[in-house]
Amino acid sequence: MATSDAIIKITSCSKHFGPVRAIDDVSFDIARGEFFSLLGASGCGKTTLLRLLAGFEQPTKGNIFIDGQGMAGVAPNHRPTNMVFQSYAIFPHLDVRRNIGYGLRDAGLSKKELDGKIDQMLELIKLPGFGSRAAHQLSGGQRQRIALARALIKRPKVLLLDEPLGALDKKLREEMQLELRALQRNVGITFVFVTHDQEEALTMSDRIAVISQGKVLQIDTPTSLYESPNCKEVAGFIGTMNFFDGTVKSMEEANAVVDAGPLGDVRTRPFAAKLPASGASITVAIRPEKINLNPSRPSASHNVIEGRMSAAAYLGDRSHYYVAVKGRNAPIAVAAQNVNAARSWLGGQDQPVWLSWREDSVILLDR
Amino acid sequence: MTSPAPIVRQDSRIQRFFLRHEWARGYALLSPTLAVMVLAMCLPVFMLAAHSFWTQNYLTIDETFTLANYEQALGWLWGAEGAKPIYIRLLWKSMQISFGVTVTTLILAYPFAYFLAFKVRRNKNLWIILISVPFLTSYLLRVFTWKIILGFNGVINSGLMSLGIISEPLEFLLYNPTAVLIVLAHAWAAFAILPIYVSLEKIDRSLLEAATDLGDGPFRRFWRITWPLSVPGVIASGLLVFIPTVGDYVTPKLVGGTEGIMIGNIIQSQFGKANNWPLGSALSIVMAIAITIVVLIFLYVMSLGRVRAK
Amino acid sequence: MSTRADAGQPVEYSPSKVVEGNRYGWLFVYAVLYIAFLYVPPLFLPLFSFNDSIYVAFPIKGFTFEWYRQMAKSTGLLDALYNSLKVGAVVCLASTLFGMLAAKAMTRYTMPGKGPMASFIMLPLVVPGIILGIALLVLTNQVGLELSLFTIGVSHVLICVPFGMLVLISRLEGFDKSLEEASLDLGVNAWKTFWRVTVPLALPGIIASIMLTFLISFDEFILAFFLAGNEVTLPIYIWSQLRFPAKLPSVLALGTLILTVTMVLVAVAEWIRRRGTATTKPTAG
């Protein structure tokens, strides 16, 4: 994504509620036409950030620019943003048609024009013919679509979505994820999407900002976030991760040897951006699916360790194994696709197994 | 897709100030109501307090500072010359009557509130309306109907006489403190029910199930769970009844006779026949302070009790 | 609780047997007796308003409309009724407006000192009426204002605002703040949002507040007694008539009439409230 064409610019923005720093000196850009997610646990400040963009809160420090224009002192009703609320906020005293047309009531359109736009929206959200339904006759999924149509009819420069799928059940949620993504491509409007569900963020977004305690930890594409997290917190928040404490033994041209305690010496190729110095205390991280499970000692000379099977969980398409190794309390998590029938050589608990991994599967993080 | 760019408008400085500060918006909205309260309550009460330090000279008021009114009202306590005990005694009697009214009302109201909260499943609102409708008739007429019931030719007397139980009408029914107590307890019944009902209704039903599950019988369960959780409602009800009834002058005047007179009647007469506004002001200030002290002591004792319970 | 047998049936919330106990036990009997205790005294009003005797006492003599006829002819009474309606109408609108502003501030904004401010506004609920009455009397006298229906009205607004605020706070808490935010977000300014979203959604509460404050003002005596000038309200008129036995039956007739009208109003209010909750409660789906 080219950040040169930024529609939103957030410059060293802070928002304090009394002593609480809900947003703490945050700066980043969102590109035009991007599907951008704010991901974090509840209470991390992601919703506050969204409300700063919408104008419901004003930053304590810093500024926000939307399409080049400073937003300080611009009321929510004068901003080129629209929002889909977590509760959807469908007006209960208005029918579907009036809900969708609500924001255009004072736009000076003729009744025919307005009706045309509303019908177009009903078409877009696949609810044609629902115009005269009362608000209380709608299901959760329908409310969500109407909230979306009500915001999109305003043709905002940025659409803000506050956990819009949180209230839906799992199946509908997955359906809506794809639909929302397709809709965003279709209308070409920048979406800023708040969620606490990392899978949802990975599925839908062009880029994701991981937020914790009011700070942005990392902004990246889903792949980069997963494959090369820049800190322990991001690595732990997205997917599952095995962490080991280690000390750098030697570092030669991105070829590192790390003493990782119970794992022994781990060889790795850290990416060039940040090379830890020799002797530095660091964290070694390996994803469960990047670890191979072997019945006997593989031939490789390094990145191999023996363990004992402590638990296994069969999940259909894949299995999760937990392997105990000497000198470490927590078992190592291993995930394997069940491509062929489940590993027949695996016996019961306490069976000795060998774990191995490739050099480029190892991520080095600051302790 | 090209969209017509919405015009972003920059607001004026005042608007931006309000936009930036939520508290400023809140207080701006609140200020008209606060102004009404200050002008119609604080200012008058301040004036009342000022009056209590002045002196009535027939039709005019001498505005030199004096404590004479308070000496007249309370002087008996420290044996000031010429001070009469009547004001202290009336205040004490009013407190006693109000306390009696409060206790009676609470004891009568609690089981009803309990019934409403736990036994009524549907149409709770109908029951609430049912108890409030009698209170929508004129307060004066409601008090007056008690005169019809308790009076010399009243319902009770004529009923008992026609049954041959008594031959002469009973005279002790009306015009005494007991009559005041009965009438006030009736007048405040609905107000006492609501706070208790609300506090009972808020109790999570699973707490009661848990208590039963852990082996409590109905009475132990009530005593250990329901009652402690409803105490805030009982306190609220008690204060709601006690505070206004201390100063009541209508009921004592209509059904109290000479024995049933309360402090409110004396205060009222200072602004009427007796025409001594400064003394009336001083008496009402004394009454307000006395009520406040009683309420604070009561709340303090309750908080002690609750700390110990913890 | 729900077993296989009732799966698929609409499951209604039912309190457990433990708490429920016997529905029509002694508590039910007590409740009925309590209701009787509340109702019997006021019911003597209609009884004696039709009694063909100038004395309000037993035994009942016979049926008559005479007292209603007298009531309709009594100019003093009708003037007082008119005054009460006038004061009540202004008071209920003013106190609902002030209550609405305060309730909106209390429910929608965070600000320092909110709790103390709420307590301050509710103070008239716990200050004995006689003190508020004489305090206003003293002030009115001090600034040289004439006692009139206006001074009565001011005192009534004072005691009605807390009720209006409480009713409206509970109504405003009943719907999501984000509905108002959504309206702002869609480009509608704060003033129009108030009229297009807040007022329609709070309407049942607004009506309840208007009716409640009207009834309080209509029946208020303790404050009005001190603050009335030449023009009196109905309770003051009734008070003056209680000393004259001959006037009493027509006062009872009036009381009966007021009781009937209020009951109708309460029924209407409950009907509106039910419709209100039916249309604003979303059905989960």
Side-chain angles (χ1 to χ4, degrees):
Chain A
M1 277 298 148
T3 45
S4 56
D5 187 24
I7 187 133
I8 294 177
K9 260 184 174 311
I10 299 171
T11 53
S12 45
C13 222
S14 292
K15 175 69 188 176
H16 302 174
F17 294 110
V20 182
R21 297 176 167 210
I23 294 294
D24 195 2
D25 195 21
V26 162
S27 303
F28 62 88
D29 293 355
I30 297 173
R32 200 181 295 276
E34 197 172 23
F35 196 119
F36 192 92
S37 290
L38 303 172
L39 174 64
S42 62
C44 71
K46 56 190 192 299
T47 297
T48 304
L49 195 50
L50 200 71
R51 292 173 63 82
L52 283 170
L53 292 175
F56 296 127
E57 312 285 354
Q58 294 278 325
T60 314
K61 274 185 220 131
N63 206 349
I64 291 170
F65 297 86
I66 298 178
D67 212 10
Q69 192 151 13
M71 285 291 130
V74 178
N77 48 316
H78 294 148
R79 294 198 177 200
T81 58
N82 286 115
M83 182 137 158
V84 175
F85 289 80
Q86 186 169 18
S87 60
Y88 308 141
I90 300 295
F91 301 120
H93 59 304
L94 303 177
D95 63 13
V96 168
R97 192 162 265 285
R98 289 205 186 116
N99 259 290
I100 294 177
Y102 186 90
L104 293 182
R105 188 167 147 184
D106 301 326
L109 300 174
S110 71
K111 184 160 174 13
K112 210 176 144 196
E113 283 174 305
L114 183 60
D115 278 345
K117 276 180 181 266
I118 293 171
D119 285 332
Q120 203 184 336
M121 276 299 148
L122 284 168
E123 206 71 47
L124 184 74
I125 58 168
K126 299 178 188 155
L127 288 175
F130 274 68
S132 56
R133 287 279 179 101
H136 63 92
Q137 292 173 311
L138 301 166
S139 72
Q142 289 165 344
R143 292 168 156 265
Q144 196 264 328
R145 285 157 199 250
I146 287 154
L148 199 61
R150 185 176 70 180
L152 284 175
I153 202 171
K154 295 277 293 177
R155 295 249 151 258
K157 290 182 177 167
V158 178
L159 184 72
L160 309 169
L161 303 104
D162 187 7
E163 307 223 15
L165 307 179
L168 308 179
D169 59 54
K170 190 165 184 293
K171 208 154 174 221
L172 188 58
R173 194 162 65 224
E174 280 166 8
E175 238 174 78
M176 285 308 300
Q177 284 172 7
L178 297 177
E179 212 172 287
L180 209 54
R181 184 71 236 236
L183 184 79
Q184 193 262 337
R185 294 226 171 87
N186 184 8
V187 296
I189 291 173
T190 311
F191 277 31
V192 180
F193 185 92
V194 160
T195 181
H196 67 270
D197 183 338
Q198 41 122 344
E199 229 173 280
E200 192 168 280
L202 293 177
T203 316
M204 302 173 75
S205 323
D206 292 317
R207 285 195 308 155
I208 300 169
V210 181
I211 301 176
S212 174
Q213 296 181 339
K215 287 191 176 288
V216 173
L217 299 178
Q218 187 173 2
I219 301 179
D220 242 320
T221 60
T223 323
S224 305
L225 270 187
Y226 190 84
E227 299 293 343
S228 41
N230 67 2
C231 66
K232 226 175 139 171
E233 227 180 326
V234 172
F237 190 74
I238 301 193
T240 317
M241 187 69 98
N242 295 300
F243 291 112
F244 309 89
D245 289 343
T247 319
V248 179
K249 274 175 114 177
S250 71
M251 170 71 64
E252 283 161 11
E253 286 186 10
N255 259 316
V257 180
V258 181
D259 174 9
L263 287 192
D265 287 354
V266 171
R267 280 166 189 271
T268 170
R269 295 196 198 112
F271 43 91
K274 33 188 278 190
L275 294 175
S278 210
S281 290
I282 50 155
T283 299
V284 173
I286 311 174
R287 294 273 182 207
E289 73 277 10
K290 313 228 160 161
I291 300 178
N292 294 319
L293 201 57
N294 310 290
S296 58
R297 191 186 160 90
S299 56
S301 62
H302 54 263
N303 291 358
V304 167
I305 188 173
E306 189 185 4
R308 280 173 187 280
M309 187 62 69
S310 77
Y314 177 72
L315 300 176
D317 59 335
R318 72 213 127 96
S319 291
H320 286 172
Y321 302 100
Y322 299 92
V323 178
V325 293
K326 243 181 240 158
R328 182 181 154 91
N329 284 333
I332 296 173
V334 178
Q337 290 294 316
N338 295 331
V339 181
N340 307 314
R343 278 149 276 277
S344 55
W345 53 269
L346 264 177
Q349 215 172 346
D350 284 345
Q351 185 192 0
V353 291
W354 289 86
L355 303 179
S356 64
W357 56 91
R358 287 159 48 130
E359 285 173 12
D360 56 4
S361 302
V362 178
I363 303 167
L364 295 185
L365 300 167
D366 290 335
R367 177 89 55 93
Chain B
M1 191 181 299
T2 52
S3 53
I7 299 147
V8 173
R9 201 159 76 208
Q10 212 76 24
D11 293 306
S12 74
R13 276 180 70 173
I14 297 170
Q15 278 173 311
R16 289 172 71 153
F17 174 78
F18 280 113
L19 204 56
R20 257 180 183 284
H21 301 289
E22 195 176 334
W23 60 266
R25 274 175 282 160
Y27 273 106
L29 266 179
L30 201 55
S31 53
T33 314
L34 288 180
V36 169
M37 290 291 147
V38 168
L39 289 177
M41 184 169 67
C42 297
L43 206 58
V45 169
F46 177 75
M47 229 40 247
L48 185 72
H51 258 74
S52 71
F53 298 110
W54 296 344
T55 315
Q56 185 89 32
N57 273 338
Y58 301 103
L59 292 175
T60 57
I61 283 175
D62 176 5
E63 299 188 0
T64 36
F65 179 85
T66 172
L67 288 172
N69 298 311
Y70 287 99
E71 197 173 312
Q72 207 177 338
L74 298 169
W76 181 73
L77 286 176
W78 58 85
E81 216 170 306
K84 290 178 283 181
I86 173 161
Y87 304 116
I88 302 283
R89 287 200 180 140
L90 271 182
L91 185 60
W92 178 236
K93 190 169 78 181
S94 303
M95 293 274 182
Q96 284 176 306
I97 292 178
S98 287
F99 185 75
V101 170
T102 308
V103 171
T104 313
T105 320
L106 290 179
I107 291 175
L108 289 177
Y110 198 95
F112 189 90
Y114 187 89
F115 169 77
L116 197 56
F118 290 110
K119 304 290 170 174
V120 179
R121 269 196 248 173
R122 281 150 208 244
N123 296 327
K124 289 195 187 213
N125 263 309
L126 280 185
W127 281 89
I128 292 173
I129 289 170
L130 207 59
I131 57 169
S132 32
V133 162
F135 300 94
L136 300 175
T137 54
S138 161
Y139 178 64
L140 289 174
L141 291 179
R142 248 186 299 138
V143 176
F144 179 74
T145 56
W146 279 99
K147 259 176 113 162
I148 305 175
I149 297 170
L150 301 173
F152 194 75
N153 294 317
V155 178
I156 293 181
N157 275 329
S158 50
L160 290 177
M161 286 204 337
S162 63
L163 287 173
I165 296 169
I166 51 170
S167 52
E168 290 283 305
L170 305 171
E171 290 192 33
F172 62 82
L173 292 175
L174 201 56
Y175 302 126
N176 58 45
T178 317
V180 176
L181 195 147
I182 294 173
V183 174
L184 282 175
H186 178 258
W188 290 90
F191 295 94
I193 288 173
L194 289 177
I196 302 176
Y197 163 70
V198 170
S199 69
L200 287 170
E201 186 69 31
K202 272 197 293 196
I203 296 175
D204 186 348
R205 299 305 191 261
S206 60
L207 290 177
L208 304 178
E209 292 175 358
T212 311
D213 183 58
L214 295 169
D216 271 4
F219 289 102
R220 271 176 77 84
R221 189 187 66 207
F222 174 80
W223 188 241
R224 302 211 298 176
I225 309 286
T226 316
W227 168 252
L229 289 174
S230 65
V231 163
V234 175
I235 292 176
S237 284
L239 296 181
L240 205 62
V241 175
F242 179 78
I243 295 170
T245 47
V246 176
D248 191 17
Y249 61 89
V250 175
T251 306
K253 180 128 191 176
L254 285 177
V255 301
T258 43
E259 274 174 70
I261 275 185
M262 287 167 68
I263 187 79
N265 299 85
I266 290 290
I267 295 174
Q268 185 242 311
S269 74
Q270 299 307 322
F271 289 87
K273 268 184 255 154
N275 193 31
N276 188 345
W277 286 23
L279 179 62
S281 306
L283 286 172
S284 64
I285 299 278
V286 167
M287 177 180 83
I289 291 171
I291 292 174
T292 312
I293 291 172
V294 169
V295 168
L296 288 179
I297 291 174
F298 172 71
L299 290 177
Y300 179 70
V301 170
M302 291 312 285
S303 71
L304 274 189
R306 262 195 274 175
V307 168
R308 207 178 302 149
K310 272 177 191 167
Chain C
M1 262 214 348
S2 86
T3 54
R4 273 281 153 90
D6 61 36
Q9 306 272 76
V11 180
E12 209 182 307
Y13 170 73
S14 71
S16 72
K17 283 280 175 295
V18 174
V19 182
E20 190 67 10
N22 185 4
R23 260 189 94 188
Y24 295 101
W26 62 273
L27 268 176
F28 180 75
V29 175
Y30 178 80
V32 171
L33 287 175
Y34 195 92
I35 295 281
F37 167 66
L38 295 185
Y39 270 81
V40 168
L43 284 182
F44 284 109
L45 290 182
L47 182 68
F48 284 105
S49 75
F50 294 111
N51 182 28
D52 192 5
S53 162
I54 193 103
Y55 299 107
V56 181
F58 279 99
I60 298 288
K61 290 289 196 304
F63 186 85
T64 181
F65 275 121
E66 174 59 23
W67 313 123
Y68 287 86
R69 236 169 277 140
Q70 278 197 10
M71 176 192 79
K73 275 189 292 185
S74 163
T75 49
L77 190 153
L78 293 178
D79 284 347
L81 176 65
Y82 177 65
N83 288 339
S84 274
L85 291 173
K86 220 160 51 175
V87 171
V90 175
V91 165
C92 71
L93 293 178
S95 48
T96 299
L97 175 68
F98 289 122
M100 182 71 179
L101 292 174
K104 176 115 167 108
M106 290 293 162
T107 51
R108 298 293 191 252
Y109 296 90
T110 46
M111 47 192 180
K114 188 153 86 170
M117 286 299 154
S119 309
F120 173 63
I121 294 174
M122 294 205 276
L123 218 49
L125 289 181
V126 289
V127 176
I130 188 170
I131 290 181
L132 296 177
I134 59 176
L136 274 163
L137 171 64
V138 162
L139 180 74
T140 311
N141 190 57
Q142 200 67 21
V143 296
L145 215 66
E146 195 93 1
L147 289 177
S148 63
L149 292 181
F150 174 74
T151 47
I152 295 179
V154 169
S155 73
H156 285 184
V157 169
L158 175 67
I159 55 165
C160 285
V161 164
F163 285 100
M165 184 178 79
L166 286 176
V167 167
L168 288 162
I169 280 179
S170 80
R171 182 65 203 173
L172 290 183
E173 275 173 352
F175 65 88
D176 199 347
K177 172 185 177 179
S178 62
L179 289 166
E180 285 155 339
E181 289 180 343
S183 171
L184 284 175
D185 185 68
L186 291 165
V188 176
N189 67 33
W191 177 243
K192 283 180 182 167
T193 294
F194 180 74
W195 285 107
R196 291 181 191 172
V197 177
T198 315
V199 168
L201 290 177
L203 200 57
I206 292 172
I207 293 172
S209 165
I210 285 177
M211 291 180 68
L212 181 66
T213 51
F214 180 85
L215 285 173
I216 292 170
S217 164
F218 193 75
D219 187 35
E220 207 290 322
F221 172 74
I222 292 185
L223 292 161
F225 177 76
F226 290 105
L227 297 167
N230 294 326
E231 290 181 287
V232 298
T233 56
L234 202 53
I236 299 172
Y237 178 81
I238 293 174
W239 174 262
S240 69
Q241 300 302 297
L242 288 180
R243 276 175 293 161
F244 307 112
K247 299 278 184 64
L248 262 179
S250 60
V251 171
L252 296 187
L254 175 75
T256 309
L257 218 60
I258 295 171
L259 180 62
T260 316
V261 172
T262 4
M263 277 165 73
V264 172
L265 279 180
V266 168
V268 170
E270 173 65 5
W271 180 71
I272 290 172
R273 195 192 62 80
R274 286 194 179 199
R275 276 194 55 206
T277 49
T279 51
T280 51
K281 239 185 221 160
T283 45

